[in-house]
Amino acid sequence: MTPRRSLFQKYLSVLTAMICGTLLLATIAQTVLSLREQRERADALLITEARLASVQIQSFLSAIAGSMAWVLDYDQPGMQPSLAEIHDDSHRLLRKVAALSQLRYVGADGCVRMDVSRVATDRAGKCAELPLAPTEQALLAEARQQQVAYGPVQFRDGTEPTMTIAMAARGARGGVLLAQIDLRQIHATVTGIEVGRTGYAYIVDRDGELIAHPDPIQVLRRLDLRGSPAFSAARRAAPTQATTLTRDLGGHYVLSAFTTVTGPGWWVCAQQPAREAFSPIFASLWLTLLVIVVAMLGAIGASYFLAQRMARPILAVRDGAEKMGAGALDTRIVVTTGDEVELLAHEFNRMAGALGASYAELEEKVRQRTHALELVSTQLREQAGQLAQLNAELSVRLDELALRRDEAERASAAKTRFLAAASHDLLQPMHAVGLLVGVLRLRIRYPEVSALVMKVQTAVEGMETLFSSLLDISKLDSKAVQVDLQMVDIQKLFDFIELNYQPIAMEKGLTLRVARCRYVVRTDPVLLESILRNLVSNAIRYTERGTVLLGCRREGDAIRLLVHDTGVGIPVQFQPYIFDEFYQIEDSGRAHGNGLGLGLSIVRRSAALLGLPLTLASRVGAGSAFGVTVPVVRHVAPHASPASIAGDGRDYLRGAFIVFIDDDEDACGAIEELLHTAGCHVVAGTSLGAVRRALERHLRTPDLIITDLRLGPGTSGLHAIAGLRADSGQAIPALIVTGESHAPTVQDLPGNCMLVRKPVGPSRLFLLCSEMLGAPVKAPAAVPTLLPQ
Amino acid sequence: MEENDPNRWAIRPIALWNSFMLDLPGNPGVPWPMRRAFLAVGALCLGAPAVAAGPLRHVACLSSPASNPEAMAAFRVEFEKIDPQLAAGVRFSEAFAGFDAERLTQLASKLNDQQPDLILCFDFDAAQAVAATRRAHAVPLVFRAHDDPLARGLIDSYARPGRNLTGITTYRCLDDKLVELMHATVPSARQIGFIHDAAMPDSGCSARARDYARHQGIALRDLSVSTPADLAALLDQLANKPAQALIIAATAVTWSLRKSLIARINALAIPAIYEGQVFVEDGGLMQFSALREDAFGRLANAVAQVLRRGGAGDFPVSQPMNFEFVINMRAALAGNYRLSPQLLRRADRIIE
């Protein structure tokens, strides 16, 4: 397994993060504090520079004012001012103060008495000859109140800034000296102010106008700085208390400190480019960064060293364990750290030693077992050889079995073909014989001959029943019957049973009562019908008097179809055997000659094929009750029971036009004869074509079609029915009589068509025909919906 | 990344760090590249800002008189005081016309063709020649004029000269003040000669002087000289008919022939006041004029401003700020004049 990260990387990462993180935090904290201190220092330095500049400006103005006061010493209260002295001292003042460009002495009367100029000529004269400007008048008034007044800054020739200072002499009646100052001298002072290396100072007058700046162009622009952020901040805050970081006239970030110049109310700003002001801070930051980098590199190196020292013994243990895991159990891990890792290595070594010993022991055991296995293997090889021989023999036997199976399948197929053929070929002549005997019986008038014919008919019917039973049992035995699960309406099945066996019961003087059973089950209808027919047939056979009751009982999700009779009953000791083939109870009270004993065997086989359980409850002298349980699908609405036709139906058949088709000429002849006795007009043929040729001579459409199912190779009774119906354009009622084991179901039949199985006796045939032709019916007897317990 | 890129200090360490991260060991058996770490630290420490050493800027100097190394040296001293770094990046070339007008024009044209970074003219005539031979206002011009550049039509105004030129002037209308000083010196003098060049426009300065003189009851004789011959003739005329006092304005003729002029005036024992420091240095009795010491400072300031930001035409022309009244007691016949104490007190400097 490959680890996602090696131990060395983990240790390295953790140690590096710890040390570097701590270094970083400490450095950041220290840097922040240092930066704050340095900023305060820079601010203090700048404020000091501003104050220094202010002091210089103040000194400049104070010197001028002080000098002016000396001149006014010649104007004392109570004394007439000496203009000559004032004139002389004014010149000396001009010589002394280079910034002064003009001095004017205004007397107590407000007239200019003297005008001394540096470059212009001196003037003296009458009052009106030397007028005062309005600003000078205002200054005079202010000076007389405050002794010193400072005028606004003006620009001579648009380039030379000047300002007038007015100083009043002592005494209420003294004169005033007006001094015009060339502020370009202040420019030199301002330019000479060094604020750092690239910083400078400038002066703004009380109206916010720039009056002195190292760049004279800025001054000449007459810039109004009242709106500048720095000046606005300075005016809001107390001067010389804080610096502001703003942009200068050139848009560069600068650190500014403002102070005021008392007197003229100017603002002196010391400004230093932020980059220079903060250069110590930047230098400190760079140095700190360098230190951090060096420290971190050292930390990384130390972490690397420590991580190696920590990881090496663990990795040695890992390598040793890996080698041991690979099989080198003589490997020994050498760790001398003196801690738990060394103990771990010692344990690994001990484990390796134990594993080595165990491995050696195991190897010896393996060697022994291997030798034993070799012996066993030799035996197995011998046995394998024997098995191979047996396999060869088995293959031969299997081949023989396969041949036998093929033969059996061929035999079964042959049997199936035989049964299919017998179903038709055996029953067909029996059916024909039965019909002919029926015809004979109807035509014979002599009682004794009639009794004889009756016996023949009875024998024929018995033979038909025996053949049918033998065929059924054969089919079941040969597994020729294919279960075809369908939805089966029990009530319809009951109706069919009643229709077929009611006459038989009536002949024997018994009452066949069929209960209503409104359920639909899913089973093979043919097999279920076979079961019920055999049970009802057996019940009728073994009941001398009383009732045979067919009904159903709901039992949970299933219904039990019951056939209850009031017959002789079955002794308990014989009940397990009565479902065997050919088994009949030998009892003097039972009638002999009642079949071969195959009916219940057929019932058992059919029920087993459908997976339906059978039940039997019988008591000697009281009767029997046979039941078969079928899972129910749904309950259906009640429908009327099929009506029964009054009589045997022959009367209704009089005059009917019936078409009969059967590939057996004898059957054709027999049916034709039989139906003639009922007064029917019959057209019979062995094929559809023959019948069609015969019908060409008839204009009347047949009333009924009776046909065999199998009419020959490739043709069937269904084709014949469809053909005749198409020829006539009517849905002629049809009756199919068949002995086939795989007959179509009711759902497969066309409309208005019934299918019955051979054999069909004459009376039954008459009834069926009458029913198909719509004979009037009598109301069915009321039957209970549930069987008595 | 340029040398002057301020981000180079950020980019370089980041690049070095990236080279570290790519080499982190995935296998503890791979040795940590300590050499690279040390090399990186060394690179950081040794990384020094590169000085933006651009090409030298060329300032071409032109003077109409002959070579005057003192003036150039004085200018360069002031220039280096103002901006040493800028001064280190400037080379100067000089051309002198020797008072030859034709040569002056040729030199001016040649300088314009050379397209230097700036043309510096040490006198008005040179500035006028350069301005006249310009084909376009591409090369800024800075001048030193002893005349009124506004009256002479060189500039549009003192505040905004325009025409991509600026400079300083040492000129101020002092004619009336000179009359006042001379009157204070020789109160009895009722006739004062005024030597100047009437051909030069002076914006009414001499007229103002005449008005003042008249107001003081003094007749101001207009003695105009435009050429050396005119001066010689005047001096001969003064020899025959001397004035009670003289005022000598600084013109090209009086300045260039000052020594002989001063000698003749002293010889004639005529009290004279001159306009210019050089006159008293060469023996004149008195002078009142703008100080020339700060002229080179103002000129150097103008040159520095133009080199830094350009826009010479927006830079105001500097007018003289300081003036000096000097009395030369060592002048010949200085002792002949009884100078009043008031006058002496007015002197900024007395040469003894």
Side-chain angles (χ1 to χ4, degrees):
Chain A
M1 185 185 81
T2 305
R4 290 193 301 271
R5 282 183 69 189
S6 70
L7 190 63
F8 170 77
Q9 281 183 332
K10 277 186 190 174
Y11 280 151
L12 182 62
S13 304
V14 169
L15 288 172
T16 303
M18 275 175 51
I19 299 174
C20 293
T22 306
L23 268 177
L24 203 61
L25 285 173
T27 306
I28 289 172
Q30 187 185 1
T31 303
V32 167
L33 294 172
S34 172
L35 287 177
R36 187 182 300 172
E37 186 184 335
Q38 289 187 18
R39 172 64 193 270
E40 289 172 356
R41 203 176 298 157
D43 289 351
L45 189 63
L46 194 63
I47 291 171
T48 304
E49 296 275 3
R51 286 179 183 162
L52 187 63
S54 174
V55 165
Q56 289 180 357
I57 303 298
Q58 193 71 57
S59 301
F60 173 78
L61 294 175
S62 300
I64 296 173
S67 300
M68 288 168 68
W70 283 106
V71 173
L72 287 172
D73 274 349
Y74 293 103
D75 184 355
Q76 298 293 339
M79 289 173 58
Q80 193 68 21
S82 170
L83 291 179
E85 299 289 343
I86 291 173
H87 178 267
D88 193 27
D89 266 5
S90 295
H91 272 289
R92 284 165 57 186
L93 189 60
L94 285 177
R95 177 164 62 85
K96 181 181 174 183
V97 183
L100 284 173
S101 57
Q102 185 183 29
L103 286 164
R104 304 180 87 182
Y105 175 76
V106 179
D109 55 358
C111 294
V112 179
R113 296 298 177 191
M114 180 204 69
D115 187 336
V116 173
S117 173
R118 184 178 296 280
V119 296
T121 56
D122 297 349
R123 292 181 295 173
K126 297 178 181 175
C127 190
E129 292 175 0
L130 301 170
L132 284 168
T135 54
E136 291 173 326
Q137 294 278 5
L139 274 176
L140 283 178
E142 189 179 341
R144 285 207 166 93
Q145 288 179 358
Q146 300 171 7
Q147 194 180 11
V148 180
Y150 296 86
V153 175
Q154 296 171 323
F155 287 80
R156 186 171 59 196
D157 294 337
T159 62
E160 299 178 4
T162 61
M163 182 190 72
T164 302
I165 299 178
M167 180 177 284
R170 288 182 292 184
R173 296 177 181 275
V176 177
L177 188 63
L178 296 172
Q180 188 179 68
I181 301 170
D182 186 346
L183 292 179
R184 291 181 295 169
Q185 299 292 340
I186 290 184
H187 172 266
T189 303
V190 168
T191 307
I193 296 173
E194 291 181 352
V195 182
R197 193 168 51 84
T198 58
Y200 53 87
Y202 61 87
I203 303 174
V204 178
D205 69 2
R206 56 177 173 247
D207 296 327
E209 191 171 323
L210 185 68
I211 60 172
H213 194 278
D215 184 0
I217 293 181
Q218 305 297 341
V219 176
L220 294 178
R221 285 182 182 167
R222 312 291 294 272
L223 294 174
D224 185 355
L225 300 181
R226 277 175 294 184
S228 74
F231 189 61
S232 303
R235 290 183 83 167
R236 279 194 303 270
T240 65
Q241 294 300 319
T243 61
T244 54
L245 184 64
T246 56
R247 290 184 185 269
D248 64 357
L249 299 173
H252 306 104
Y253 276 105
V254 292
L255 197 63
S256 306
F258 278 88
T259 60
T260 55
V261 179
T262 54
W266 294 346
W267 293 78
V268 177
C269 174
Q271 205 166 66
Q272 190 176 19
R275 180 175 291 194
E276 182 188 337
F278 299 140
S279 61
I281 297 174
F282 292 145
S284 173
L285 280 174
W286 279 115
L287 188 62
T288 303
L289 184 64
L290 180 65
V291 168
I292 287 177
V293 170
V294 172
M296 284 197 175
L297 288 174
I300 291 170
S303 299
Y304 179 82
F305 176 71
L306 279 172
Q308 266 200 331
R309 286 290 299 268
M310 291 166 68
R312 190 173 293 139
I314 298 175
L315 293 175
V317 171
R318 186 207 69 180
D319 292 338
E322 199 173 327
K323 287 178 184 172
M324 289 173 191
L329 294 176
D330 55 348
T331 303
R332 292 295 174 268
I333 303 171
V334 179
V335 172
T336 57
T337 56
D339 54 12
E340 286 82 353
V341 179
E342 184 178 344
L343 286 176
L344 181 66
H346 174 71
E347 288 301 318
F348 263 99
N349 293 334
R350 194 175 62 78
M351 183 185 69
L355 279 173
S358 174
Y359 184 70
E361 186 183 337
L362 279 172
E363 276 192 342
E364 176 58 28
K365 285 185 182 176
V366 166
R367 193 190 60 76
Q368 293 173 2
R369 294 287 184 273
T370 305
H371 177 67
L373 281 171
E374 284 176 354
L375 292 175
V376 170
S377 173
T378 305
Q379 292 175 3
L380 282 174
R381 278 196 294 274
E382 293 174 358
Q383 289 174 4
Q386 295 173 2
L387 274 172
Q389 288 181 352
L390 289 172
N391 278 338
E393 293 178 7
L394 190 63
S395 297
V396 172
R397 298 286 169 81
L398 284 175
D399 291 339
E400 291 176 0
L401 279 173
L403 286 173
R404 303 263 171 88
R405 186 190 65 197
D406 292 340
E407 290 176 3
E409 285 177 355
R410 284 195 292 275
S412 175
K415 188 178 178 181
T416 302
R417 288 193 297 274
F418 161 75
L419 288 173
S423 298
H424 181 267
D425 297 335
L426 283 179
L427 285 178
Q428 191 71 2
M430 293 303 302
H431 173 63
V433 168
L435 291 173
L436 289 170
V437 170
V439 171
L440 183 63
R441 181 176 165 222
L442 290 170
R443 288 193 178 170
I444 288 178
R445 297 284 180 257
Y446 299 101
E448 57 276 9
V449 178
S450 176
L452 193 64
V453 171
M454 278 288 293
K455 289 181 181 176
V456 172
Q457 188 177 25
T458 303
V460 169
E461 288 174 355
M463 286 172 64
E464 285 178 347
T465 303
L466 283 171
F467 269 120
S468 180
S469 299
L470 281 172
L471 280 174
D472 288 344
I473 204 77
S474 295
K475 288 180 215 173
L476 290 168
D477 279 343
S478 66
K479 307 290 189 292
V481 177
Q482 299 294 323
V483 176
D484 181 14
L485 296 179
Q486 299 177 22
M487 302 304 244
V488 179
D489 189 339
I490 297 297
Q491 185 61 50
K492 288 186 179 175
L493 182 60
F494 279 10
D495 294 339
F496 178 75
I497 297 292
E498 184 184 16
L499 186 69
N500 281 270
Y501 287 91
Q502 188 70 262
I504 299 173
M506 287 173 63
E507 282 185 12
K508 201 173 175 182
L510 299 175
T511 302
L512 175 61
R513 298 175 68 185
V514 177
R516 280 195 289 276
C517 186
R518 299 185 288 271
Y519 292 97
V520 174
V521 298
R522 183 175 167 77
T523 186
D524 189 312
V526 174
L527 290 174
L528 185 63
E529 180 200 330
S530 172
I531 292 170
L532 290 179
R533 278 194 297 106
N534 280 283
L535 289 176
V536 170
S537 174
N538 259 15
I540 293 173
R541 184 176 298 121
Y542 291 101
T543 301
E544 296 298 331
R545 65 184 69 83
T547 306
V548 173
L549 181 62
L550 172 63
C552 68
R553 181 183 300 140
R554 183 68 183 264
E555 291 181 352
D557 293 335
I559 54 170
R560 188 187 298 182
L561 305 178
L562 289 165
V563 179
H564 186 270
D565 64 59
T566 58
V568 297
I570 305 171
V572 175
Q573 62 271 21
F574 299 124
Q575 288 181 6
Y577 306 105
I578 59 171
F579 289 96
D580 294 340
E581 299 91 346
F582 308 108
Y583 183 87
Q584 288 181 314
I585 298 173
E586 293 183 358
D587 189 349
S588 60
R590 298 181 186 273
H592 291 283
N594 290 330
L596 296 174
L598 294 176
L600 290 180
S601 175
I602 293 172
V603 168
R604 186 186 68 177
R605 282 178 166 74
S606 299
L609 200 63
L610 294 176
L612 304 176
L614 289 173
T615 59
L616 169 62
S618 183
R619 198 169 68 202
V620 175
S624 303
F626 286 85
V628 57
T629 305
V630 186
V632 70
V633 173
R634 69 175 187 272
H635 182 264
V636 296
H639 62 277
S641 301
S644 59
I645 298 173
D648 61 359
R650 274 193 300 171
D651 296 336
Y652 192 75
L653 297 178
R654 195 177 302 282
F657 182 22
I658 299 175
V659 170
F660 182 79
I661 310 174
D662 197 320
D663 57 347
D664 185 353
E665 287 187 12
D666 294 334
C668 286
I671 288 295
E672 192 171 0
E673 289 292 331
L674 182 65
L675 292 175
H676 280 157
T677 62
C680 301
H681 181 67
V682 181
V683 170
T686 58
S687 66
L688 176 61
V691 167
R692 275 177 168 161
R693 287 192 292 276
L695 284 176
E696 287 176 358
R697 299 190 293 273
H698 295 78
L699 296 176
R700 183 179 172 186
T701 302
D703 298 320
L704 178 66
I705 303 170
I706 304 175
T707 177
D708 192 4
L709 183 63
R710 196 166 82 169
L711 295 178
T715 62
S716 71
L718 294 172
H719 294 145
I721 292 169
L724 291 175
R725 283 179 174 178
D727 293 344
S728 65
Q730 296 178 17
I732 305 172
L735 179 66
I736 301 174
V737 182
T738 182
E740 294 290 328
S741 56
H742 298 289
T745 62
V746 173
Q747 288 78 8
D748 297 332
L749 295 176
N752 202 13
C753 180
M754 186 189 294
L755 184 143
V756 295
R757 295 185 179 275
K758 294 176 182 175
V760 177
S763 58
R764 187 170 171 226
L765 182 63
F766 290 141
L767 286 173
L768 291 171
C769 291
S770 299
E771 183 183 347
M772 293 306 297
L773 290 174
V777 300
K778 68 174 180 183
V783 294
T785 57
L786 292 174
L787 290 175
Q789 295 297 322
Chain B
M1 184 170 67
E2 296 182 358
E3 283 296 333
N4 289 331
D5 189 341
N7 294 325
R8 68 185 188 277
W9 291 106
I11 294 172
R12 189 173 296 162
I14 292 172
L16 286 167
W17 181 250
N18 283 340
S19 69
F20 290 161
M21 300 307 291
L22 291 173
D23 292 329
L24 273 178
N27 187 335
V30 176
W32 173 252
M34 295 301 292
R35 286 189 304 157
R36 294 192 187 191
F38 287 124
L39 283 174
V41 172
L44 277 174
C45 294
L46 293 175
V51 175
L56 288 178
R57 305 175 78 171
H58 178 205
V59 175
C61 303
L62 179 63
S63 301
S64 56
S67 172
N68 188 356
E70 292 83 11
M72 190 63 193
F75 167 77
R76 292 186 71 161
V77 166
E78 294 297 327
F79 189 58
E80 286 170 7
K81 276 185 194 173
I82 289 173
D83 195 335
Q85 191 173 358
L86 180 64
V90 174
R91 71 175 177 88
F92 293 92
S93 63
E94 297 178 77
F96 302 95
F99 293 111
D100 185 346
E102 188 176 340
R103 178 171 168 74
L104 183 64
T105 302
Q106 288 173 354
L107 287 172
S109 178
K110 185 179 173 184
L111 286 182
N112 277 321
D113 292 336
Q114 285 178 355
Q115 294 282 307
D117 294 292
L118 184 141
I119 297 177
L120 175 61
C121 296
F122 282 93
D123 54 80
F124 183 83
D125 291 336
Q128 205 169 36
V130 170
T133 55
R134 275 169 145 187
R135 289 168 186 79
H137 299 318
V139 180
L141 169 63
V142 178
F143 61 84
R144 183 186 67 165
H146 302 298
D147 298 301
D148 184 353
L150 181 64
R152 301 275 311 261
L154 185 63
I155 62 176
D156 296 334
S157 68
Y158 278 96
R160 194 178 288 260
R163 309 178 196 183
N164 200 20
L165 54 81
T166 188
I168 67 159
T169 174
T170 55
Y171 169 79
R172 196 64 178 261
C173 175
L174 299 175
D175 295 350
D176 51 353
K177 192 69 175 177
L178 288 169
V179 172
E180 177 195 312
L181 288 171
M182 180 51 69
H183 178 57
T185 305
V186 187
S188 60
R190 284 290 174 257
Q191 192 188 61
I192 299 175
F194 182 36
I195 300 176
H196 69 115
D197 188 352
M200 295 293 176
D202 63 357
S203 303
C205 186
S206 57
R208 201 157 67 233
R210 276 195 295 276
D211 288 340
Y212 173 77
R214 186 169 54 248
H215 196 263
Q216 300 298 321
I218 298 170
L220 193 64
R221 283 173 65 183
D222 189 41
L223 305 173
S224 176
V225 293
S226 300
T227 63
D230 293 341
L231 183 61
L234 173 63
L235 290 174
D236 291 338
Q237 183 183 353
L238 286 173
N240 293 325
K241 189 176 179 184
Q244 291 179 310
L246 286 173
I247 297 172
I248 296 93
T251 68
V253 173
T254 59
W255 189 84
S256 60
L257 299 174
R258 60 186 179 276
K259 288 187 178 176
S260 59
L261 173 63
I262 292 168
R264 285 294 297 271
I265 291 173
N266 287 341
L268 292 172
I270 300 173
I273 185 168
Y274 300 88
E275 185 190 14
Q277 175 65 26
V278 294
F279 292 95
V280 294
E281 288 174 358
D282 291 334
L285 177 62
M286 296 182 297
Q287 74 91 10
F288 178 67
S289 65
L291 274 176
R292 68 176 180 180
E293 281 76 12
D294 70 343
F296 287 109
R298 290 187 288 133
L299 184 63
N301 184 46
V303 169
Q305 294 285 348
V306 172
L307 285 175
R308 284 197 205 112
R309 69 172 78 204
D314 294 330
F315 193 76
V317 174
S318 171
Q319 297 184 63
M321 195 161 53
N322 299 311
F323 300 86
E324 192 178 45
F325 175 43
V326 182
I327 299 175
N328 185 11
M329 297 306 291
R330 290 193 298 188
L333 303 178
N336 295 348
Y337 310 112
R338 294 183 66 182
L339 302 176
S340 65
Q342 290 81 3
L343 184 67
L344 291 172
R345 282 198 288 272
R346 285 178 68 170
D348 294 298
R349 191 158 56 96
I350 298 175
I351 301 173
E352 292 182 299

